[in-house]
Short mmCIF file of all heavy atoms in Angstrom, two decimals:
data_model
loop_
_atom_site.label_atom_id
_atom_site.label_comp_id
_atom_site.label_asym_id
_atom_site.label_seq_id
_atom_site.Cartn_x
_atom_site.Cartn_y
_atom_site.Cartn_z
N ILE A 11 -7.58 17.32 2.83
CA ILE A 11 -8.34 17.21 1.71
C ILE A 11 -9.61 18.15 1.79
O ILE A 11 -10.29 18.30 2.85
CB ILE A 11 -9.11 15.69 1.69
CG1 ILE A 11 -8.01 14.72 1.65
CG2 ILE A 11 -10.06 15.68 0.49
CD1 ILE A 11 -8.55 13.28 1.65
N ALA A 13 -11.44 18.97 -1.19
CA ALA A 13 -12.58 18.67 -2.26
C ALA A 13 -12.20 17.36 -2.79
O ALA A 13 -11.06 16.98 -2.94
CB ALA A 13 -12.56 19.83 -3.33
N ILE A 14 -13.22 16.66 -3.28
CA ILE A 14 -13.10 15.42 -4.08
C ILE A 14 -13.94 15.54 -5.33
O ILE A 14 -15.17 15.95 -5.21
CB ILE A 14 -13.62 14.21 -3.32
CG1 ILE A 14 -12.87 13.98 -2.01
CG2 ILE A 14 -13.66 12.86 -4.17
CD1 ILE A 14 -13.36 12.93 -1.14
N ASP A 15 -13.26 15.51 -6.54
CA ASP A 15 -14.01 15.66 -7.78
C ASP A 15 -14.64 17.09 -7.80
O ASP A 15 -15.83 17.13 -8.38
CB ASP A 15 -14.93 14.58 -8.20
CG ASP A 15 -14.07 13.26 -8.52
OD1 ASP A 15 -12.89 13.29 -8.85
OD2 ASP A 15 -14.78 12.15 -8.41
N GLY A 16 -14.07 18.01 -7.29
CA GLY A 16 -14.61 19.45 -7.28
C GLY A 16 -15.59 19.69 -6.24
O GLY A 16 -16.10 20.79 -6.16
N GLN A 17 -16.06 18.64 -5.49
CA GLN A 17 -17.10 18.87 -4.40
C GLN A 17 -16.44 19.14 -3.15
O GLN A 17 -15.51 18.39 -2.71
CB GLN A 17 -17.90 17.57 -4.34
CG GLN A 17 -18.60 17.32 -5.48
CD GLN A 17 -19.63 18.37 -5.97
OE1 GLN A 17 -20.48 18.83 -5.17
NE2 GLN A 17 -19.70 18.75 -7.18
N LYS A 32 -18.25 5.90 -4.84
CA LYS A 32 -17.43 5.47 -6.02
C LYS A 32 -17.24 4.01 -6.00
O LYS A 32 -17.47 3.33 -5.00
CB LYS A 32 -16.11 6.20 -6.00
CG LYS A 32 -16.19 7.75 -5.74
CD LYS A 32 -16.81 8.38 -6.92
CE LYS A 32 -16.72 9.93 -6.79
NZ LYS A 32 -17.27 10.63 -7.84
N GLN A 36 -12.05 3.18 -9.99
CA GLN A 36 -12.39 4.53 -10.42
C GLN A 36 -11.23 5.45 -10.09
O GLN A 36 -10.73 5.41 -8.94
CB GLN A 36 -13.73 5.02 -9.75
CG GLN A 36 -14.39 6.13 -10.42
CD GLN A 36 -15.85 6.30 -10.08
OE1 GLN A 36 -16.31 5.69 -9.15
NE2 GLN A 36 -16.56 7.35 -10.68
N THR A 37 -10.94 6.49 -10.83
CA THR A 37 -10.04 7.51 -10.46
C THR A 37 -10.72 8.83 -10.02
O THR A 37 -11.64 9.15 -10.77
CB THR A 37 -9.04 7.82 -11.79
OG1 THR A 37 -8.40 6.59 -12.06
CG2 THR A 37 -8.10 8.92 -11.45
N ILE A 38 -10.33 9.31 -8.95
CA ILE A 38 -10.92 10.60 -8.46
C ILE A 38 -9.80 11.66 -8.27
O ILE A 38 -8.65 11.40 -8.32
CB ILE A 38 -11.45 10.38 -7.09
CG1 ILE A 38 -10.47 9.88 -6.03
CG2 ILE A 38 -12.66 9.32 -7.13
CD1 ILE A 38 -10.98 9.84 -4.57
N THR A 39 -10.29 12.98 -8.23
CA THR A 39 -9.36 13.95 -8.16
C THR A 39 -9.54 14.56 -6.72
O THR A 39 -10.61 14.82 -6.36
CB THR A 39 -9.57 15.06 -9.14
OG1 THR A 39 -9.45 14.62 -10.40
CG2 THR A 39 -8.63 16.32 -8.90
N LEU A 40 -8.44 14.51 -5.98
CA LEU A 40 -8.47 15.12 -4.63
C LEU A 40 -7.81 16.52 -4.65
O LEU A 40 -6.68 16.69 -5.18
CB LEU A 40 -7.68 14.20 -3.59
CG LEU A 40 -8.06 12.74 -3.35
CD1 LEU A 40 -6.93 12.12 -2.68
CD2 LEU A 40 -9.35 12.63 -2.76
N THR A 41 -8.49 17.41 -4.19
CA THR A 41 -7.89 18.80 -3.89
C THR A 41 -7.44 18.85 -2.56
O THR A 41 -8.32 18.67 -1.62
CB THR A 41 -8.87 19.81 -4.23
OG1 THR A 41 -9.41 19.69 -5.65
CG2 THR A 41 -8.08 21.31 -4.24
N VAL A 42 -6.13 19.12 -2.36
CA VAL A 42 -5.51 19.23 -1.03
C VAL A 42 -4.88 20.39 -0.73
O VAL A 42 -4.43 21.10 -1.68
CB VAL A 42 -4.69 17.91 -0.72
CG1 VAL A 42 -5.32 16.60 -0.96
CG2 VAL A 42 -3.28 18.09 -1.61
N LYS A 49 -3.10 21.83 -4.16
CA LYS A 49 -2.73 20.82 -5.12
C LYS A 49 -3.94 19.94 -5.50
O LYS A 49 -4.75 19.70 -4.64
CB LYS A 49 -1.56 19.88 -4.63
CG LYS A 49 -0.29 20.75 -4.38
CD LYS A 49 0.80 19.75 -3.93
CE LYS A 49 2.08 20.47 -3.64
NZ LYS A 49 2.83 20.64 -5.00
N SER A 50 -3.88 19.48 -6.80
CA SER A 50 -4.88 18.57 -7.27
C SER A 50 -3.97 17.21 -7.55
O SER A 50 -3.03 17.24 -8.19
CB SER A 50 -5.46 18.91 -8.59
OG SER A 50 -6.28 20.05 -8.36
N LEU A 51 -4.57 16.12 -6.93
CA LEU A 51 -3.80 14.85 -6.97
C LEU A 51 -4.89 13.87 -7.54
O LEU A 51 -6.07 13.92 -7.13
CB LEU A 51 -3.55 14.41 -5.57
CG LEU A 51 -2.63 15.31 -4.71
CD1 LEU A 51 -2.39 14.86 -3.39
CD2 LEU A 51 -1.33 15.52 -5.32
N GLN A 52 -4.41 12.91 -8.36
CA GLN A 52 -5.22 11.78 -8.97
C GLN A 52 -4.97 10.59 -8.02
O GLN A 52 -3.88 10.32 -7.61
CB GLN A 52 -4.85 11.44 -10.41
CG GLN A 52 -5.04 12.69 -11.40
CD GLN A 52 -6.50 12.91 -11.57
OE1 GLN A 52 -7.30 12.11 -11.79
NE2 GLN A 52 -6.82 14.23 -11.39
N ALA A 53 -6.13 9.86 -7.73
CA ALA A 53 -5.99 8.61 -6.96
C ALA A 53 -7.06 7.64 -7.55
O ALA A 53 -8.13 7.92 -7.94
CB ALA A 53 -6.45 8.91 -5.52
N THR A 54 -6.44 6.36 -7.66
CA THR A 54 -7.32 5.31 -8.29
C THR A 54 -7.69 4.43 -7.05
O THR A 54 -6.92 4.02 -6.19
CB THR A 54 -6.50 4.44 -9.19
OG1 THR A 54 -6.19 5.28 -10.42
CG2 THR A 54 -7.40 3.33 -9.73
#
Side-chain angles (χ1 to χ4, degrees):
I11 300 171
I14 297 175
D15 288 338
Q17 298 297 312
K32 307 292 184 181
Q36 196 168 5
T37 299
I38 61 172
T39 300
L40 299 170
T41 303
V42 301
K49 295 183 173 275
S50 291
L51 308 172
Q52 299 289 311
T54 301

